């Protein structure tokens, strides 16, 4: 009776081959820089700069709200095990200091907005204070606006990623952080960052062209005051029922005043945001007969589709604003939106995000 058992030599060769395959399969993952990003937009930036050499985890994922995020023990463990931590700064993540303390993390960190306040101050000094740009974004309840700013973000608007002109500072800060954590791949990170900067510049020009077609005197309404940097950079006027934090709830007087402002300031459309409750905007739509033109992305990426990347999100927002407002002066209907077919894609997208507002953390 013949035996099917391999010879000792064959068995040794098989074992060696298996070991080599296992090592080759595990090596790339083991060599990757483990990066913990505070929220989805930063995670996308890190992935674009780091490529195959990084493995990125976002604490606050797509369609989720960093304003109401509550870190869990598992998040502290994930931070403790990271090689690099990237967060926005400007007090956007009010919970980050507590989380870092709970994890005893002592590794390198990247504050992605480093240098942005100085750049904005220099630009303001060079061009003078632009009252028009300041008024381009506002809340309906001006006496409480400073309270929102001071409580949530120390008087600063942290949503700087909404201005692609500030994108190079984000990218270079991330690039330098990756080089510090993984100097062996410094040339790769520099090359990928350079290509990314070219894409950002091209997208900035594309958005400028889209918004140039919008009427100068029109305003739009969003769920919370997160588009201030977009307003300053691209000249679109945004209004909001509440301040910079999506945790805020507008008062009845605030909503009533906003309805008056809508009529005074030629507001043409309302927009949902993907990570805030649609209830306030739906109420305004019912009381003013204005259309809800679709869903804008402010603080979080979409889980899939065009807005699942930072640059795709910015393009989506600009295209949606253009579709809703560019022909507002010429279109029919009481509010300049006689062509309902032009908004069907936006309405479809809005429906696809009906389940994206429960903020389950």
């Amino acid at each position: 009776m013949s035996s099917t058992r391999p010879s000792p030599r064959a068995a040794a060769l098989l074992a060696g081959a298996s070991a080599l395959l296992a090592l080759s399969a595990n090596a790339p993952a083991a060599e990757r820089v483990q990066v913990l990003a505070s929220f989805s937009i930063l995670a996308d930036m890190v992935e674009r700069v780091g490529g195959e050499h990084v493995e990125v985890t976002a604490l606050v994922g797509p369609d989720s709200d960093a304003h109401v995020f509550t870190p869990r023990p598992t998040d502290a463990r994930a931070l403790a095990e990271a090689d690099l931590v990237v967060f926005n700064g400007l007090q956007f993540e009010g919970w980050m200091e507590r989380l870092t303390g709970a994890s005893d993390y002592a590794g390198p960190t990247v504050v992605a907005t480093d240098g942005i306040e100085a750049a904005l101050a220099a630009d303001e000094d060079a061009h003078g204070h632009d009252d028009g740009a300041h008024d381009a974004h506002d809340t309906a309840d001006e006496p409480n606006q400073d309270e929102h700013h001071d409580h949530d973000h120390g008087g600063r608007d942290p949503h700087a990623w909404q201005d692609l002109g500030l994108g190079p500072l984000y990218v270079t800060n991330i690039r330098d952080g990756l080089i510090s954590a993984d100097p062996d791949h410094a040339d790769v990170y520099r090359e990928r960052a350079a290509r990314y900067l070219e894409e950002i510049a091209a997208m900035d020009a594309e958005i400028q062209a889209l918004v140039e077609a919008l009427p100068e005197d029109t305003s739009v309404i969003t769920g919370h005051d997160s588009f201030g940097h977009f307003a300053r950079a691209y000249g679109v006027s945004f209004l909001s029922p509440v301040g910079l934090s999506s945790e805020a709830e507008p008062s009845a007087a605030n909503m009533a005043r906003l309805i008056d402002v809508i009529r005074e300031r030629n507001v043409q459309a309302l927009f949902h945001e993907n990570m805030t409750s649609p209830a306030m905007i739906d109420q305004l739509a019912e009381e003013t007969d204005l259309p809800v033109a679709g869903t804008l992305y402010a603080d979080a990426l979409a889980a899939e589709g065009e807005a699942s990347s930072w640059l795709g999100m910015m393009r989506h927002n600009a295209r949606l604003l253009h579709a809703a407002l560019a022909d507002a002066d010429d279109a029919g209907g009481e509010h300049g939106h006689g062509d309902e077919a032009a908004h069907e894609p936006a309405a479809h997208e809005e429906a696809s995000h009906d389940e994206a507002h429960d903020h389950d953390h």
Side-chain angles (χ1 to χ4, degrees):
M1 182 175 180
S2 62
S3 173
T4 58
R5 179 180 298 176
S7 67
R9 178 181 174 81
L13 289 172
L14 286 172
S18 298
L20 288 173
L21 288 172
L23 285 173
S24 62
N26 292 331
E31 292 173 0
R32 289 183 180 180
V33 180
Q34 301 298 307
V35 183
L36 190 74
S38 57
F39 67 114
S40 58
I41 294 171
L42 287 186
D44 179 64
M45 294 180 183
V46 174
E47 288 176 345
R48 288 299 311 273
V49 177
E52 63 182 4
H53 299 294
V54 301
E55 184 171 343
V56 187
T57 301
L59 287 172
V60 184
D63 287 324
S64 296
D65 188 355
H67 293 291
V68 298
F69 176 72
T70 300
R72 301 158 296 185
T74 54
D75 297 319
R77 287 197 296 272
L79 193 152
E81 295 170 357
D83 299 317
L84 180 68
V85 172
V86 181
F87 63 99
N88 187 72
L90 298 179
Q91 299 187 31
F92 178 70
E93 309 94 337
W95 36 265
M96 179 58 81
E97 184 175 347
R98 299 193 309 274
L99 179 61
T100 304
S103 70
D104 294 324
Y105 177 75
T109 61
V110 171
V111 181
T113 57
D114 270 354
I116 281 179
E117 287 185 295
L120 291 173
D123 184 67
E124 186 173 298
D125 289 343
H127 298 94
H129 183 70
D130 185 354
D131 289 331
H134 176 77
D135 292 338
H137 63 99
D138 200 359
T139 60
D141 192 357
E142 290 178 354
N144 289 334
Q145 186 173 348
D146 289 338
E147 178 181 340
H148 288 308
H149 287 212
D150 293 341
H151 176 73
D152 296 307
H153 303 298
R156 297 166 291 187
D157 183 349
H159 308 84
W161 61 85
Q162 289 287 345
D163 175 5
L164 288 177
L166 298 175
L169 285 171
Y170 274 90
V171 172
T172 54
N173 286 331
I174 290 169
R175 177 201 65 195
D176 293 346
L178 288 173
I179 290 173
S180 177
D182 180 23
D184 289 344
H185 296 107
D187 290 343
V188 176
Y189 298 139
R190 291 190 184 99
E191 181 181 350
R192 291 184 64 89
R195 291 202 303 267
Y196 198 22
L197 291 175
E198 291 176 358
E199 292 182 39
I200 292 169
M203 184 63 67
D204 190 31
E206 180 180 335
I207 291 175
Q208 291 282 4
L210 285 168
V211 299
E212 282 177 3
L214 305 185
E216 292 184 2
D217 62 344
T218 193
S219 300
V220 300
I221 306 288
T222 59
H224 83 292
D225 188 19
S226 55
F227 289 93
H229 287 286
F230 190 102
R232 175 188 48 75
Y234 304 110
V236 180
S237 177
F238 286 81
L239 300 169
S240 166
V242 296
L244 289 172
S245 173
S246 59
E247 292 183 275
E249 291 291 338
S251 65
N254 196 6
M255 291 289 284
R257 180 179 177 276
L258 185 57
I259 291 171
D260 291 338
V261 170
I262 285 172
R263 298 189 175 104
E264 293 167 3
R265 294 181 62 166
N266 189 33
V267 173
Q268 297 292 331
L270 309 173
F271 294 88
H272 287 153
E273 289 181 46
N274 65 318
M275 30 63 67
T276 59
S277 169
M280 292 180 294
I281 297 301
D282 290 344
Q283 180 182 344
L284 285 171
E286 183 177 348
E287 297 188 18
T288 61
D289 292 328
L290 278 172
V292 177
T295 299
L296 295 173
Y297 292 81
D299 297 8
L301 300 179
E304 58 185 13
E306 181 182 42
S308 62
S309 70
W310 172 47
L311 294 186
M313 174 194 87
M314 296 296 293
R315 174 190 279 127
H316 163 89
N317 287 346
R319 286 177 172 175
L320 187 60
L321 290 167
H322 184 273
L325 304 173
D327 299 323
D329 288 345
D330 300 326
E334 181 180 355
H335 298 286
H337 292 277
D339 187 1
E340 296 295 332
H343 303 290
E344 286 179 2
H348 173 74
E349 179 175 356
E350 171 201 324
S352 70
H353 291 284
D354 285 345
E355 304 300 324
H357 306 284
D358 54 2
H359 312 300
D360 183 9
H361 299 289

